Amino acid sequence: LISACKLHKRWEAVIEVLESLASKKVQSDCIVSYAAMDVCESSDKAELSLDILAAIIGAGVNDAQTASTPYTHDLQAGGPPDCFKHIVLSLLLDDTASSDEPFTYIDTHSGAGIYNLSLQPMPRTCEDGVARLRSFVSSHADVPKTISDYLRVQSS
């Protein structure tokens, strides 16, 4: 997903999502941050890459712990990196669909495709991701449309 941002030099979309996550007190992990830095660097925005690096160092993100934890979508659906991925994907698809040119999108990593995010007790990753976004949206009027749309789809 972030590779698509890199391919199209969509650093603005990546920064928008990172800022949105930060404003909601959702900490980005090192994998998402490093990918965002790569997008910025490939878009000739090295200064933004350095800002992201400073932010993750300042936040005390432990990349060894994150990198040693394998990503399993069944267990991490609805978590912060998953929310980030889907919101950026929505931005990219909206942008692509706004063109008159036809396109094909093939999701090669969709896994099972449907995950129950309403389990009780809610999985910890979901509490940190979708649940925090829902809580934020319910108390703020100025939420970006992409995030509102994402949460509406999550609820259906």
Side-chain angles (χ1 to χ4, degrees):
L1 173 65
I2 298 215
S3 297
C5 285
K6 180 178 177 181
L7 178 66
H8 298 289
K9 299 191 182 286
R10 290 292 315 268
W11 63 269
E12 299 98 336
V14 173
I15 296 300
E16 179 184 333
V17 173
L18 287 177
E19 288 173 347
S20 181
L21 289 173
S23 72
K24 292 158 188 56
K25 308 291 188 235
V26 175
Q27 185 179 27
S28 179
D29 68 11
C30 69
I31 295 169
V32 170
S33 298
Y34 293 161
M37 290 167 58
D38 188 39
V39 171
C40 291
E41 289 170 9
S42 70
S43 302
D44 296 324
K45 299 292 180 184
E47 69 280 0
L48 293 175
S49 182
L50 293 174
D51 291 344
I52 295 168
L53 180 60
I56 63 173
I57 291 170
V61 173
N62 182 351
D63 67 349
Q65 177 184 354
T66 304
S68 67
T69 305
Y71 180 80
T72 306
H73 198 264
D74 291 356
L75 302 175
Q76 298 172 350
D82 191 51
C83 292
F84 176 82
K85 172 187 71 176
H86 287 286
I87 291 167
V88 172
L89 176 61
S90 296
L91 287 167
L92 290 170
L93 289 174
D94 285 348
D95 185 63
T96 303
S98 69
S99 168
D100 291 336
E101 296 294 318
F103 71 96
T104 301
Y105 172 74
I106 300 171
D107 188 346
T108 61
H109 295 78
S110 63
I114 298 176
Y115 301 90
N116 187 352
L117 301 180
S118 62
L119 294 172
Q120 296 300 325
M122 183 180 289
R124 177 76 177 134
T125 57
C126 201
E127 288 177 16
D128 290 341
V130 171
R132 285 183 74 180
L133 280 176
R134 284 184 185 146
S135 175
F136 179 84
V137 168
S138 68
S139 62
H140 291 79
D142 61 340
V143 176
K145 181 181 180 314
T146 304
I147 293 174
S148 298
D149 290 348
Y150 167 71
L151 291 174
R152 187 175 56 255
V153 169
Q154 291 295 323
S155 299
S156 57

